Amino acid sequence: MTAKDLSHLLSIEAKTRRPSPLKTAFKYYGKPDIVFLGGGLPMSDYFPWDKVLAYSPEPPFADGIAAKPTEGKAVISELHKHKIEEFDVPLARSLQYGHTEGQPELLKFVKEHTALIHKIPNEEWDVVLSVGNTQAWDATLRTFCDPGDSILVEEYSFPSALETASPFQVDYVPVPMDNGGIIPEKLEELFENWDASNKKPKLLYTIATGQNPTGSSLSAERREAIYKIACKHDFLIVEDEPYYFLQMNDYKQGASEDPKHSYDEPKQTHEEFLAALVPSFSHLDTEGRVVRLDSFSKVLAPGVRLGWIVAQKKLLERYVRLHEVSIQTPSGFTQSLVQGLLGRWGQSGYVDWLIALRKEYTIKRDFTIDVLHKNMPKDVVEFFPPSAGMFFTVVLDASKHPDFKTKFASDPIKVETAIYEAGLEKGCLMIPGSWFQSPNFKPHDNTFFFRGTYAAVPLDQLKVGLERFGEAVKTVYGL
Ligand code: PMP
């Protein structure tokens, strides 16, 4: 299947960007018959790193991902200036200029991984490395949005992503969502009622799995319906998916107290793990209208500042031109170190890692929801176990507060603020949901929520924090 030509969706900036003439000469660099006097490249002999050693845990991570690598049970990446292992990125190359798309060995790994996970139906997909999804989203906005364009966003979304978009002077169109994320019928309705004098939105920005902040995940059926709407109304789907691999087993109440918890069940096979992942938008992408932003931040470490963009080749080429004159490419140390590890783990070891990571998050999610069951006053609070990601929400009904109409002047935000402050007084910080409201979105009712994460602290602290938050809610509601 071939991708559609979507060049009409490019921004003026992307359309007018030309390759740097100096960069075009680089294809001759390293050719044995050419003495290359063309670039300001320092000789790698002058790079003051001869060898880098890294110790990492060894697949299949039977003792958990937090177990320290020990003697005889460690993966040691020994990285040299010049190539020794076929899969390594030699320091002489990674620390040099060049390879805007990414170092070939790492690109190969990421491409094989993407093919394994997403099985993208159009043949023209490719990948380009990024400095993580923050940068990849900025690059996406530059590539597609002009001032006055509109973009579809979830009603509640990641504030940094919204802030990234603001200076592009785009108009935000909030898309209604529920516990399962974007509601496709409501998205369709938006287009049915679209004022024909306005240009239709260029793209949908969605955090489809383990959404930040709501913790919701789109089902396969909703993704299919949304993809069809994108084809019909000719917009791109930008899936920002740092939490994709934090998809968990189903929550069972009380499971965290049961020593025979489901996460102690026999380990999933790779096939079972892969089959249980919700299909991505990329998996549905027959037309080449999905831009997938993937990141190592939540699966390896945020500070590696490394991710990758998956899209059809023609669109990706515009990102490469942009990267040539902005990030150039992710840091050479990062590329050598990450590929040193992934090359040694192999695709299979990396899947082992993702399975082991999922187990950690399942334990934390189950524990969190069990503690919420014990500590939250159920008559005013609702919560839903997330199926993916790092976030959970506690939803409250302001109208159930006895003084809602009087003391709080029927304003749910005032109740939210009172709980936020009471939480701080008791010693627990959860983020008020209103901080995540997309521009142009007004809540439909008197409910409000707080976002918490089970990612950042160990279980004992989670328990203390949630007990304190429960106390704060009870105090404010006079319960
Ligand atoms: N997108 C979303 C939805 C996020 O929640 C985050 C991190 N909080 C990021 C992007 C940032 O990702 P990265 O570290 O890859 O830039």
Side-chain angles (χ1 to χ4, degrees):
M1 222 172 283
T2 52
K4 264 195 165 174
D5 180 0
L6 298 178
S7 50
H8 58 280
L9 294 176
L10 290 168
S11 63
I12 295 170
E13 176 179 328
K15 280 181 189 150
T16 49
R17 201 177 285 290
R18 290 173 308 168
S20 147
L22 280 177
K23 303 272 179 204
T24 60
F26 264 89
K27 60 176 179 279
Y28 299 106
Y29 178 67
K31 294 228 160 156
D33 49 343
I34 302 261
V35 179
F36 193 86
L37 305 180
L41 282 68
M43 277 170 67
S44 62
D45 299 358
Y46 303 165
F47 299 166
W49 288 276
D50 200 55
K51 185 166 88 176
V52 173
L53 274 180
Y55 291 78
S56 307
E58 190 180 54
F61 317 106
D63 302 328
I65 56 169
K68 257 187 178 285
T70 51
E71 188 89 22
K73 243 190 165 186
V75 166
I76 303 171
S77 309
E78 191 174 309
L79 306 167
H80 296 261
K81 253 191 195 167
H82 299 289
K83 204 168 181 86
I84 294 182
E85 292 288 356
E86 194 47 39
F87 51 72
D88 274 336
V89 184
L91 295 167
R93 170 143 52 74
S94 67
L95 298 180
Q96 187 54 275
Y97 287 120
H99 293 285
T100 303
E101 294 88 342
Q103 293 291 335
E105 298 84 352
L106 181 53
L107 273 181
K108 180 169 176 280
F109 189 97
V110 164
K111 267 188 96 163
E112 281 171 9
H113 165 79
T114 302
L116 174 75
I117 304 296
H118 303 294
K119 301 185 177 61
I120 302 172
N122 84 76
E123 295 142 18
E124 287 166 59
W125 68 273
D126 209 340
V127 304
V128 164
L129 296 191
S130 73
V131 183
N133 286 12
T134 307
Q135 179 266 322
W137 170 230
D138 177 68
T140 301
L141 288 159
R142 287 185 180 282
T143 302
F144 298 107
C145 292
D146 292 312
D149 279 347
S150 60
I151 64 171
L152 299 155
V153 290
E154 284 141 346
E155 287 176 338
Y156 292 94
S157 191
F158 176 41
S160 304
L162 297 171
E163 275 320 310
T164 310
S166 289
F168 290 85
Q169 296 166 50
V170 291
D171 200 20
Y172 300 87
V173 182
V175 187
M177 61 196 298
D178 60 16
N179 291 332
I182 291 172
I183 307 165
E185 295 75 22
K186 298 279 181 194
L187 177 60
E188 183 64 57
E189 247 172 55
L190 268 174
F191 284 96
E192 275 161 21
N193 301 326
W194 196 259
D195 175 352
S197 61
N198 288 336
K199 275 196 292 182
K200 281 189 186 172
K202 276 264 178 84
L203 59 86
L204 163 68
Y205 169 78
T206 173
I207 308 153
T209 320
Q211 207 251 0
N212 186 359
T214 62
S216 63
S217 294
L218 284 169
S219 65
E221 294 73 35
R222 283 198 180 187
R223 287 175 205 237
E224 269 173 46
I226 293 166
Y227 187 78
K228 275 193 195 138
I229 298 170
C231 295
K232 184 169 160 198
H233 297 286
D234 192 27
F235 60 86
L236 298 163
I237 297 177
V238 180
E239 50 175 354
D240 180 6
E241 284 289 65
Y243 308 105
Y244 184 73
F245 285 108
L246 308 185
Q247 295 183 42
M248 297 165 278
N249 296 342
D250 290 342
Y251 166 74
K252 291 184 207 112
Q253 194 175 342
S256 69
E257 288 153 30
D258 174 2
K260 285 219 170 312
H261 187 285
S262 56
Y263 49 74
D264 281 331
E265 284 166 9
K267 211 179 127 184
Q268 266 185 324
T269 63
H270 287 192
E271 291 69 31
E272 284 165 348
F273 171 73
L274 297 177
L277 293 171
V278 61
S280 64
F281 278 111
S282 290
H283 176 70
L284 307 171
D285 193 17
T286 47
E287 296 196 345
R289 60 173 68 249
V290 175
V291 176
R292 180 177 175 83
L293 314 182
D294 255 308
S295 171
F296 284 118
S297 284
K298 313 290 176 174
V299 291
L300 295 181
V304 294
R305 304 314 306 141
L306 187 64
W308 64 101
I309 305 165
V310 186
Q312 60 152 298
K313 281 192 180 97
K314 258 200 198 145
L315 299 179
L316 272 186
E317 185 270 342
R318 293 288 91 193
Y319 283 82
V320 176
R321 296 287 87 78
L322 166 60
H323 284 183
E324 276 174 356
V325 293
S326 52
I327 61 162
Q328 298 217 11
T329 190
S331 154
F333 283 122
T334 278
Q335 295 197 55
S336 277
L337 276 168
V338 171
Q339 173 55 20
L341 180 62
L342 295 176
R344 282 165 182 80
W345 280 358
Q347 295 293 344
S348 163
Y350 185 46
V351 173
D352 280 333
W353 177 259
L354 297 173
I355 291 174
L357 187 70
R358 161 198 168 99
K359 175 176 157 179
E360 296 292 326
Y361 280 96
T362 304
I363 292 171
K364 288 187 131 181
R365 188 273 321 265
D366 288 356
F367 182 85
T368 302
I369 304 299
D370 283 348
V371 175
L372 287 176
H373 271 296
K374 284 200 192 123
N375 290 282
M376 290 296 148
K378 301 264 179 53
D379 27 354
V380 294
V381 175
E382 267 192 304
F383 42 87
F384 308 93
S387 62
M390 296 180 163
F391 303 111
F392 64 94
T393 54
V394 172
V395 185
L396 293 106
D397 187 342
S399 61
K400 289 193 175 159
H401 194 290
D403 304 328
F404 179 54
K405 289 195 179 134
T406 50
K407 184 175 163 196
F408 295 106
S410 298
D411 182 355
I413 299 294
K414 292 202 168 106
V415 187
E416 186 191 68
T417 308
I419 292 180
Y420 176 66
E421 285 167 0
L424 281 178
E425 235 168 70
K426 305 256 179 214
C428 174
L429 190 147
M430 298 248 284
I431 309 282
S434 62
W435 295 11
F436 301 94
Q437 271 172 28
S438 293
N440 302 329
F441 166 64
K442 293 272 167 299
H444 328 276
D445 56 24
N446 289 323
T447 60
F448 62 95
F449 71 91
F450 282 84
R451 186 199 77 172
T453 177
Y454 36 83
V457 293
L459 298 185
D460 53 340
Q461 284 186 45
L462 249 175
K463 182 162 181 283
V464 172
L466 292 175
E467 283 167 358
R468 289 175 180 174
F469 193 75
E471 281 307 310
V473 173
K474 286 177 201 157
T475 305
V476 171
Y477 274 78
L479 298 165

